[in-house]
Amino acid sequence: MKRRLPLLLATLLFPALPFSALAAEPTGCIYVELARLPVRYVGLGLAPAVDGSIDGTPATMLVDTGAFDTVLTMTGVARRDLVLLMTGRHAEGFGGLTRLYSTRLEQFAIGPVQSRRSVNVGVVYEMTSPPSYDGIVGAPFLLQADFEVDLRARQLRFFRPRDCSGVPLKVWPEHTFAVPFVRSLSNSPNPHFTVKVNGKELEALIDTGAHRSLMTRRAARRIGIDVDAGGPGVTRLGDSGGVGAGRAASWAARVDAVEIGDETVRDAELHVVDAQGVDDADLYLGQDFLRSHRVLFAMSQRKLYIAYLGGDVFTRGTSLEPWMQEEADNGNPDAQYTLAMMYGAGRGAPRDPQLARSWLEKAAAAGQPHANLALGRQRLLAGHPADAIPLLRKALDQLPAEGFGPLWLYNARVRNGEPELARKELATALDKQHQDDWPQPLARFYLGKIDAARLLDEAGRDRQFAAQRSCQANGYMAEWYAAGGDQAQSAALLATVRAQCGARAAPAAPAPRAEDADKAP
């Protein structure tokens, strides 16, 4: 996130815990461990997260040194029916601008670190897709003390030095090198440091919230990589998202060498992103880098200490990595859902519908909300609304900020002969979301609050997304007519979608109900 609300640090303090101490050379320097937090991998990107609590309820918090503050997501807000307050401020992420709200909490904790009194916390409103986590732990919280990230050991540690000024810290057995901080204009405490890519200096930072290490498009151009021209070593990837409602174009680009301190990585592949206004650094070292290194943010010495642990430093593409398979095999439902998506799409793994289905069902059985949402959608499209309803309902109870799922549940209820309950549930979902934001106009159409002409008008208002939203509007109207038994109108709208948007953009038509079989086109 680009801008921060200074709301949290004054009331979140490390508790008085028994500590362990590590001696560094020479004798006299003692490194005091203040706290240790276990890390688990969550969401489709299997991002590092820690446990916390919000007003006494368990919460999952993304660990993100790239974030400028500690904030809640709309998932965390909607799960607890928290009241949002306008701030008039915005933040920027790779998905562009987002509004920042705030909410008042009576209790807030991240691991053992708790607020001593009620606290105002910022809320990020727009994200590319509703996250499964409740909040984001940003740099101001994480870097209050010296901070160690060890994703391989699945832990974070916080330290306070005693008499260690100017003393090289030797806290790990592996060969370790130090990289000094450089001065930057950023308001974030996340330190910047200098690296070389293809022999040219760039400004870098550690971003625990980034799935892959990435370079901005502007920086790529400075070192001689023109992604528009393509050429050997440049591959267009799917668009990237995150904070903000939009997406940013991205590419994979081969580089000859990346030099970080005394470590050189040759023949590497970096993710290049056309960042939407984000310009805090040139190179963001993400989770792929952190799974092959230990990193200590020695804030007291203004240095990063880095130790290489082995393995690929920069992940190539989106391949299925051994640690991801291990997470899935060990019962992590988010990893199981990730594997289901990879095998289903043939991205990062050979396309295998049967294996994809197996992992999806395992993830859904373990309660993974996106897996239940996807499986419920599949059951609905296959003509089994009664089977879809409990899956969709369970998913939406965990993802109250999800925009499209309530429409699927509505259609499933109507097709199952429960139109009144369908309207009640959709109206409740709509009340929790801002009605001027997409896809809320679809819900208002379903509830009869606006007609088709008004829906299409609202779909076309945002120039950036007008074509996509118009396709969605026609597609979801087609599903609404099909659920109500008007197969002819549904077929006409689907034909419009296919003609204007292409066959891949058209939603699959749900199988007709038995009583509508004679009406099906």
Side-chain angles (χ1 to χ4, degrees), residues 212-218 220-221 225-231 233-240 247-255 269-276 315-317:
R212 290 183 62 189
S213 297
L214 59 93
M215 180 167 48
T216 65
R217 182 178 183 176
R218 183 166 46 252
R221 189 180 299 116
I225 297 174
D226 185 353
V227 293
D228 291 325
V234 176
T235 305
R236 180 70 163 90
L237 303 176
D239 294 345
S240 300
R247 291 183 176 273
S250 64
W251 299 260
R254 179 193 167 279
V255 296
E269 182 182 273
L270 292 177
H271 196 181
V272 177
V273 176
D274 188 10
Q276 304 296 301
T315 304
R316 289 183 179 271

Side-chain angles (χ1 to χ4, degrees), residues 135-464:
I136 301 171
V137 186
F141 172 83
L142 295 169
L143 302 177
Q144 295 178 78
D146 287 10
F147 173 59
E148 177 195 283
V149 180
D150 190 344
L151 293 189
R152 188 165 291 194
R154 294 179 176 83
Q155 70 175 12
L156 311 175
R157 293 196 293 173
F158 298 86
F159 296 95
R160 191 78 70 194
R162 292 184 179 177
D163 301 322
C164 295
S165 178
V167 176
L169 300 174
K170 296 184 178 180
V171 296
W172 309 314
E174 297 86 7
H175 169 70
T176 302
F177 60 90
V179 180
F181 299 174
V182 297
R183 184 175 298 176
S184 77
L185 299 177
S186 171
N187 291 323
S188 170
N190 194 357
H192 291 214
F193 52 97
T194 300
V195 302
K196 289 185 178 180
V197 179
N198 289 352
K200 298 185 179 180
E201 288 192 352
L202 296 179
E203 200 165 297
L205 57 77
I206 302 290
D207 187 352
T208 59
H211 179 61
R212 290 183 62 189
S213 297
L214 59 93
M215 180 167 48
T216 65
R217 182 178 183 176
R218 183 166 46 252
R221 189 180 299 116
R222 289 212 315 268
I223 66 170
I225 297 174
D226 185 353
V227 293
D228 291 325
V234 176
T235 305
R236 180 70 163 90
L237 303 176
D239 294 345
S240 300
V243 171
R247 291 183 176 273
S250 64
W251 299 260
R254 179 193 167 279
V255 296
D256 294 329
V258 180
E259 300 172 60
I260 305 167
D262 64 7
E263 178 179 5
T264 299
V265 183
R266 300 193 183 279
D267 188 25
E269 182 182 273
L270 292 177
H271 196 181
V272 177
V273 176
D274 188 10
Q276 304 296 301
V278 176
D279 57 0
D280 194 43
D282 301 314
L283 180 65
Y284 296 74
L285 298 178
Q287 295 157 27
D288 51 356
F289 180 84
L290 292 169
R291 276 190 291 272
S292 59
H293 295 81
R294 284 195 183 107
V295 174
L296 173 67
F297 293 77
M299 307 301 290
S300 59
Q301 295 188 349
R302 295 187 56 78
K303 294 179 182 177
L304 284 173
Y305 286 85
I306 302 173
Y308 175 61
L309 302 177
D312 291 338
V313 176
F314 300 113
T315 304
R316 289 183 179 271
T318 55
S319 60
L320 176 55
E321 300 171 56
W323 71 271
M324 299 165 65
Q325 183 71 56
E326 181 182 353
E327 285 284 320
D329 290 339
N330 290 338
N332 180 338
D334 289 343
Q336 292 170 346
Y337 176 67
T338 296
L339 264 61
M341 296 298 100
M342 294 177 75
Y343 282 117
R347 295 178 182 171
R351 189 172 184 276
D352 189 331
Q354 185 174 353
L355 195 53
R357 178 73 176 210
S358 174
W359 281 118
L360 185 64
E361 290 179 345
K362 286 180 181 179
Q368 211 286 340
H370 292 98
N372 275 304
L373 201 64
L375 199 57
R377 177 68 166 165
Q378 290 179 10
R379 298 280 170 85
L380 173 61
L381 294 177
H384 305 292
D387 295 335
I389 287 169
L391 295 168
L392 295 171
R393 182 68 271 163
K394 185 176 181 180
L396 293 174
D397 287 342
Q398 295 176 268
L399 296 171
E402 162 63 30
F404 291 97
L407 305 174
W408 305 345
L409 180 59
Y410 176 96
N411 286 328
R413 292 284 193 198
V414 171
R415 291 167 66 82
N416 201 47
E418 305 172 274
E420 292 305 317
L421 182 55
R423 291 183 59 83
K424 180 180 178 180
E425 287 178 322
L426 186 56
T428 299
L430 187 61
D431 285 342
K432 293 184 177 182
Q433 300 168 8
H434 282 245
Q435 295 189 14
D436 59 343
D437 295 323
W438 194 263
Q440 273 57 60
L442 295 172
R444 299 208 304 277
F445 171 81
Y446 274 32
L447 294 172
K449 296 179 180 292
I450 60 175
D451 60 14
R454 174 69 180 276
L455 172 58
L456 291 172
D457 178 66
E458 294 201 21
R461 287 183 179 179
D462 190 311
R463 290 185 179 181
Q464 182 179 0

